């Protein structure tokens, strides 16, 4: 039986016991029997602790109206008094709430949830109503991501104590369901009383901080969660009559909270071996150091706890988690969430804003009525006194008009930066052209925009400004002449200037460089390999500040260091393709662009 | 309501604390923006500020908290009664939260819905901007704030006045507040126009040295286990800061800036190529606030050095040939010019 299932149950137990104290748990699992069973166990525990079930769900596209609350139009009209309908969050006090498809939550929704997790309450200022609503909740964030670039918002990860990977468990390995019920045998009131009595020793604090450092975890919230977990574990332990957690409690807390956040795993194998043979010297050492410094005690505790904690999680899972944590660290730009913008025309509905409907802004009828309702009585009184016409049922003024807003997934712009210099022309220009043509077709299918920059002689030229027209792209590509020097610095500058501009317009740019990377024209147009290379490197360094995905295809017959170095400076994906044909080239590019 | 972690119990983060105190002491600096990593205590520090502020004298029952001594900035109701002797009362300086998802009517103020519906009466209900008058307006996650709210803020923060026109009702009231924002730069950049409204900008990072990390965790844990006992210990420290603030406030008007220092400030701004005079003005005001907090009568180069990075780093133009962060560039300029 996998011990990891026990870990999962322990997490359910803790989170049900004190939802707000632990913030929540990120459950990486696709829908399936294992997740179902874990959720069942959780609901059972939740009921056992007297919380309301079934647990509420916050869908990914929820409006502020539903999340925070708003004026209840129907009730307001009927009663003639403003009736404020509280949002979903106000029903979540002292309970857990489920976030299905947490990786798709909007940044704004996450920020509102995060505020509730931080303060245990939310400030609502909406529709003539201002109130602080208690909302001490915990979240069960169901992370159903498959691709690596879909990640749960780091802000949410940060505020959830636990991370579970249920996908690593197979249904057939799970033990009898009877086991799950054993976790119910708890006395929540007694535990909460005891937990306040339990404190950590200074060495224990220090050891946990040391472990976090060894695992490459910067955030102090994680350590705080570990401390809290250790205290709760000690309080749950019936035999444990001390007022500080035991080493085992610390180990388990590290397993539950810190290890899943690790960005590096210290290799303990060597040290384990050394400690397996208790030599006389070591004993002496231990004795002598007891008198020396308390720091040593911390170190020993740190190593022991970390080692034991690591043993509790299967190595493969640990490695995968570390990989994931690294990916998360790298793309801290919140996956694709950052790459969307508000639009007035299309995309996912995002509520409304005050404004006049015009050519491309559509009226939101419901919201307009909603805005108009509270003022009807005043307006009707005014209307009666001013005019003698028959009175309309509802009086709507310009101030009430609301227009719809949509959130739109961004368009991508793929820019090809093609080296048309003499050296490249001899080798590969034809193939590069072929590959670009194939890629263009692919971009066209995906309704992406493409642009083409070529560089030769002393200039880099924008041959084709961002377009969706395949024909135009092909034409400008076909007439692309070859020959001349390689002004690489200028090419990089031009490419990133274009990328930056398109970022500002709300597009997601990608750059594809096709070059042999042998710069021989400096930025000022003078020939000379050394200066040209230096200029190119400087341009690359500058370019690395623009957060744009890029791919560097080295087309030289023998991959050379210069190109690779520049690619590295920019931070682009380097791909040497000395002998590929057009078809293979385009396959490679697509492979990189789509992962 | 949850209790706020005491300001004085925050370990390290001296730049942030200094910037917040300076901005609180001298409203004309124009507020402070705190950007930084997750879990660095950004919002903790801002929320802890409320406990450090002295009370203020206001016209009794005034919804906008008008200052009886400042005749020029009275609201419509108070200026009517200004000729007679006004009754005053003491109120704590407001620290108002502008939460995400707030609707326009709550921010600007609007007709009182209740009265409109039940009595058919037009009455203005002041919003958050009115509440924040003469105090602080705090926006957590400022870079996620809705665009149309940002527009409103930029406008009001510049003019110090809030104008509401609705249902034939025209209300104009003073809204002078110190803008305090915090956020995580990874989640999106701030609109340059809004960035410009902040006098000071500080970047906070998670401390990396063991001792302070341990201290942070220990204090957090102690606060969590027994907030009352923890507050009792730190109340004294908070009181000390409060006293410092009070005496600095008295001192502030008499703090002198000599010509040599003025020249230093201009040299620094010219060297860094900051746009316009705003940088220089903020730098001087902030240096004076720092000197006052130190209990000094005269601003020295040291005061200037301590606040130069927060005062200038968000005003630099991006230099295409220099990839170092703007904070480093300011620091470097300081080292070059004033050794």
């Amino acid at each position: 039986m996998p011990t990891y299932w026990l870990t999962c149950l322990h997490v359910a137990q803790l989170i049900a016991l004190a939802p707000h104290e632990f913030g929540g748990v990120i459950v990486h699992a696709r829908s399936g029997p294992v997740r179902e069973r874990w959720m069942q166990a959780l609901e059972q525990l939740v009921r056992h602790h007297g919380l309301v079930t079934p647990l509420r769900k916050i869908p990914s596209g929820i409006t502020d109206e539903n999340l925070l609350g708003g004026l209840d139009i129907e009730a307001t009209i009927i009663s003639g008094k403003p009736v404020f309908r509280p949002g979903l969050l106000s029903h979540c006090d002292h309970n857990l709430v489920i976030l299905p498809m947490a990786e798709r939550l909007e940044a704004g929704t996450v920020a509102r949830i995060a505020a509730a997790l931080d303060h245990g309450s939310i400030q609502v200022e909406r529709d003539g109503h201002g109130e602080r609503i208690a909302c001490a909740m915990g979240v069960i964030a169901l992370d159903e991501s498959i691709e690596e670039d879909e990640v749960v918002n780091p802000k949410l990860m940060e505020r959830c104590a636990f991370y579970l990977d249920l996908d690593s468990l197979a249904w057939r390995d799970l033990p009898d369901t009877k086991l799950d019920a054993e976790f119910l045998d708890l006395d929540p009131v007694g535990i909460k009383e005891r937990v306040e009595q339990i404190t950590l020793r200074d060495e224990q604090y220090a050891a946990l901080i040391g472990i976090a450092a060894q695992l490459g975890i910067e955030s102090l919230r994680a350590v705080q969660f570990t401390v809290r977990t250790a205290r709760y574990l000690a309080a749950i332990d019936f035999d444990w009559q001390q007022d500080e957690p035991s080493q085992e409690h610390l180990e388990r807390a590290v397993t539950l909270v810190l290890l899943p956040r690790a960005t590096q795993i210290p290799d303990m194998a060597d040290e384990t071996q050394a400690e397996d043979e208790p030599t006389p010297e070591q004993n002496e050492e231990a004795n002598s150091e007891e008198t020396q410094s308390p720091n040593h005690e911390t170190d020993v505790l740190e190593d022991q706890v970390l080692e034991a904690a690591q043993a509790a999680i299967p190595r493969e899972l640990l490695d995968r988690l570390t990989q994931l944590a690294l990916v998360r660290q790298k793309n801290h730009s919140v996956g694709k969430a950052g790459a969307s913008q508000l639009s007035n025309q299309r995309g996912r509905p995002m509520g409304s804003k005050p404004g006049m409907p015009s050519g491309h802004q559509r009226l939101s009828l419901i919201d307009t009525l909603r805005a108009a309702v509270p003022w009807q009585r005043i307006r009707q009184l005014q209307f009666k006194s001013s005019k003698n016409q028959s009175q309309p049922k509802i009086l709507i003024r310009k101030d009430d008009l609301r227009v719809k807003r949509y959130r739109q997934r961004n368009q991508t712009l793929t820019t090809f930066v093609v080296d048309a210099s003499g050296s490249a022309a001899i080798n590969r220009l034809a193939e590069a052209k072929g590959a670009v043509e194939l890629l263009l077709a692919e971009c066209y299918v995906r309704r992406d925009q493409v642009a083409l920059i070529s560089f030769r002689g002393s200039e880099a030229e924008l041959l084709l400004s961002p377009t969706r027209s395949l024909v135009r792209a092909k034409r400008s590509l076909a007439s692309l002449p070859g020959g001349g020097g390689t002004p690489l610095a200028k090419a990089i500058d031009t490419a990133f200037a274009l990328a930056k501009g398109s970022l500002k317009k709300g597009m997601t740019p990608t750059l594809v460089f096709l070059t042999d990377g042998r710069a021989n024209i400096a930025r000022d147009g003078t020939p000379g390999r050394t200066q040209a290379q230096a200029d190119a490197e400087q341009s690359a360094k500058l370019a690395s500040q623009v957060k744009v995905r890029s791919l560097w295809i080295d087309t030289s017959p023998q991959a050379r260091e210069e190109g690779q170095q520049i690619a590295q400076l920019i931070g682009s994906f380097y791909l040497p393709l000395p002998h590929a044909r057009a078809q293979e080239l385009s396959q490679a590019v697509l492979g990189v662009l789509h992962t | 309501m949850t209790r706020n972690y005491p300001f004085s119990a925050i370990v390290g983060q001296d730049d942030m604390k200094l910037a917040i105190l300076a901005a609180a002491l001298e409203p004309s600096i124009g507020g402070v923006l705190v950007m930084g990593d997750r879990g660095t205590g950004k919002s903790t520090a801002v929320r802890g500020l409320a406990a450090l502020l002295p009370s203020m004298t206001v016209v009794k029952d005034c919804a906008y908290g008008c200052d009886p001594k400042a005749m020029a900035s009275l609201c419509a109701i108070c200026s009517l009664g200004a000729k007679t002797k006004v009754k005053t009362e003491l109120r704590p300086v407001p620290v108002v939260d502008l939460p995400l998802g707030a609707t326009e009517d709550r921010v600007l103020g609007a007709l009182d819905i209740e009265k409109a519906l039940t009595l058919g009466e037009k009455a203005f209900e002041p919003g958050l901007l009115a509440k924040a008058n003469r105090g602080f307006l705090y926006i957590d996650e400022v870079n996620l704030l809705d665009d149309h709210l940002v527009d409103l803020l930029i406008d009001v923060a510049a003019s110090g006045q809030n104008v509401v026109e609705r249902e034939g009702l025209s209300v104009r009231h003073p809204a002078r507040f110190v803008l305090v924002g915090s956020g995580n730069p990874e989640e999106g950049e701030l609109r340059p126009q809004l960035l410009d409204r902040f006098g000071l900008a500080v970047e906070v990072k998670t401390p990396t040295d063991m001792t302070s990390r341990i201290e942070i965790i220990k204090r957090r844990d102690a606060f969590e286990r027994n907030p009352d006992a923890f507050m009792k210990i730190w109340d004294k420290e908070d009181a000390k800061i409060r006293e410092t603030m009070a005496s600095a406030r008295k001192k502030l008007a008499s703090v002198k800036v000599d010509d040599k220092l003025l020249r230093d400030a201009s040299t620094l701004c010219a060297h860094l190529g900051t746009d316009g005079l705003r940088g220089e003005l903020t730098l001087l005001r902030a240096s004076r606030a720092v000197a006052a907090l130190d209990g000094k009568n005269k601003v020295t180069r040291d005061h200037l050095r301590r606040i130069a990075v927060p005062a200038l780093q968000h005003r630099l133009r991006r230099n295409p040939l220099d990839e170092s962060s703007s904070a480093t560039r300011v620091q470097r300029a300081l080292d070059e010019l004033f050794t």
Side-chain angles (χ1 to χ4, degrees), chain A residues 288-539:
Chain A
S288 65
E289 255 158 35
E290 238 169 64
T291 49
Q292 253 183 21
S293 69
N295 273 352
H296 183 69
E297 201 184 322
T298 307
D299 289 345
V300 171
L301 183 65
E302 192 177 310
D303 287 347
Q304 286 174 346
V305 168
L306 182 54
E307 200 180 308
Q310 277 190 38
I313 287 193
R315 181 75 203 193
E316 315 88 76
L317 177 60
L318 205 53
D319 288 343
R320 210 172 81 215
L321 289 176
T322 318
Q323 281 304 314
L324 264 177
L326 272 178
V327 169
R328 282 201 297 272
Q329 262 196 341
K330 250 190 274 167
N331 330 338
H332 26 210
S333 54
V334 205
K336 280 181 183 153
S340 64
Q341 61 168 354
L342 289 177
S343 154
N344 293 323
Q345 284 160 291
R346 53 176 112 78
R348 177 141 49 121
M350 269 297 294
S352 60
K353 65 168 188 188
M356 284 286 283
S358 66
H360 39 245
Q361 299 202 324
R362 277 188 288 161
L363 180 75
S364 168
L365 188 62
I366 301 284
D367 289 317
T368 303
L369 286 176
R370 184 187 290 281
V373 159
W375 319 115
Q376 291 310 306
R377 187 146 171 186
I378 290 190
R379 288 179 189 165
Q380 271 160 8
L381 287 175
Q382 271 179 350
F383 196 90
K384 268 184 207 147
S385 58
S386 64
K387 288 166 199 155
N388 300 322
Q389 304 158 331
S390 67
Q391 187 165 349
K393 282 252 161 50
I394 298 180
L395 288 157
I396 291 182
R397 304 249 169 101
K398 195 176 144 195
D399 288 343
D400 305 326
L401 296 180
R402 296 287 186 273
V403 290
K404 286 183 183 166
R405 282 196 306 170
Y406 300 94
R407 187 175 289 280
Q408 187 180 15
R409 174 57 59 76
N410 273 349
Q411 266 195 329
T412 57
L413 166 66
T414 311
T415 306
F416 296 93
V417 188
V418 180
D419 185 347
S421 65
S423 58
I426 301 164
N427 294 324
R428 311 291 306 279
L429 188 58
E431 284 140 13
K433 277 186 183 179
V436 170
E437 214 166 285
L438 286 167
L439 288 169
L440 281 172
E442 173 71 18
C443 290
Y444 182 71
V445 169
R446 295 196 296 152
R447 306 301 293 163
D448 287 351
Q449 297 208 15
V450 290
L452 184 65
I453 293 172
S454 89
F455 56 107
R456 59 187 282 266
S458 59
E459 284 303 324
E461 194 187 348
L462 179 63
L463 271 188
L464 180 70
S465 46
T467 178
R468 240 187 255 140
S469 159
L470 190 59
V471 185
R472 271 185 60 201
K474 273 188 174 167
R475 204 173 295 150
S476 59
L477 196 63
S479 60
L480 172 63
T486 313
L488 198 52
K490 272 216 174 130
I492 296 173
D493 291 348
T494 314
F496 276 88
L498 182 71
K500 241 178 169 171
S502 62
L503 269 175
K504 274 203 191 119
K505 279 186 213 144
M507 290 195 268
T508 311
T510 309
L511 294 170
V512 180
F513 290 91
L514 284 137
T515 171
D516 57 5
R518 301 181 63 191
N520 57 14
I521 304 284
R523 192 182 281 115
D524 56 9
T526 51
R529 206 163 273 280
T530 330
Q531 186 56 40
Q533 184 70 18
D535 279 3
E537 276 171 23
Q538 196 183 31
S539 295

Side-chain angles (χ1 to χ4, degrees), chain A residues 20-21 64 68 71 76 80-83 107-108 111-112 114-115 118-121 123-132 153-155 158-159 195-200 202 205-207 209-210 212-213 217-221 223-224 227-228 231 302 332-334 342 352-354 371-379 381-382 397 399-400 402 405 500 523 538 541-542 545 547, chain B residues 1-4 37-44 47 96-107 110-123 125 127-128 131 138 140-141 143-144 146-148 165-168 183-188 205-222 224-226 318-325:
Chain A
H20 187 61
E21 276 72 8
D64 275 346
L68 304 172
L71 202 63
T76 302
K81 270 199 312 238
V83 177
R112 289 153 177 78
D118 280 352
H119 307 298
S121 60
Q123 182 75 34
V124 176
E125 298 286 350
R126 294 179 60 78
D127 298 346
H129 184 91
E131 189 189 356
R132 186 162 271 283
N153 191 313
K155 189 177 265 168
E158 166 87 12
R159 287 169 174 81
V195 89
E196 287 182 11
Q197 313 301 322
I198 293 169
T199 50
L200 273 70
D202 280 8
Y205 284 120
I209 302 235
I217 301 168
E218 230 181 63
S219 161
L220 280 171
R221 270 209 193 97
V223 183
Q224 217 177 316
V227 169
R228 216 171 286 174
R231 279 174 41 213
E302 192 177 310
H332 26 210
S333 54
V334 205
L342 289 177
S352 60
K353 65 168 188 188
V373 159
W375 319 115
Q376 291 310 306
R377 187 146 171 186
I378 290 190
R379 288 179 189 165
L381 287 175
Q382 271 179 350
R397 304 249 169 101
D399 288 343
D400 305 326
R402 296 287 186 273
R405 282 196 306 170
K500 241 178 169 171
R523 192 182 281 115
Q538 196 183 31
K541 271 187 213 156
L542 278 177
Q545 289 177 2
K547 280 181 189 155
Chain B
M1 206 180 127
T2 43
R3 227 174 305 223
N4 286 330
D37 300 341
R38 287 173 276 276
T40 40
K42 297 179 294 265
S43 56
T44 310
R47 286 174 206 280
V96 175
D97 246 303
L98 172 55
L100 295 180
T103 53
E104 217 177 290
D105 62 301
R106 289 300 299 168
V107 179
L111 279 188
D112 186 327
I113 295 192
E114 173 116 33
K115 285 197 180 131
L117 273 167
T118 50
L119 308 169
E121 204 177 283
K122 283 199 280 184
E125 196 190 6
L128 296 178
K131 246 196 238 170
Y138 175 46
D140 195 7
E141 313 285 4
N143 39 359
L144 295 179
D146 258 349
D147 259 359
H148 64 279
E165 304 273 356
R166 180 163 184 139
E167 305 290 335
N184 186 334
E186 283 166 15
E187 282 161 356
K205 292 205 165 60
T206 314
T208 45
D209 70 298
M210 286 296 261
T211 345
S212 38
R213 283 174 75 94
I214 293 173
E215 196 52 38
I216 294 172
I217 289 294
K218 274 171 69 175
R219 286 189 196 170
R220 271 280 165 191
D221 203 32
E224 198 174 287
R225 269 201 327 273
N226 193 343
R318 243 179 223 165
N319 181 351
L321 295 178
D322 191 347
E323 64 230 64
S324 44
S325 78

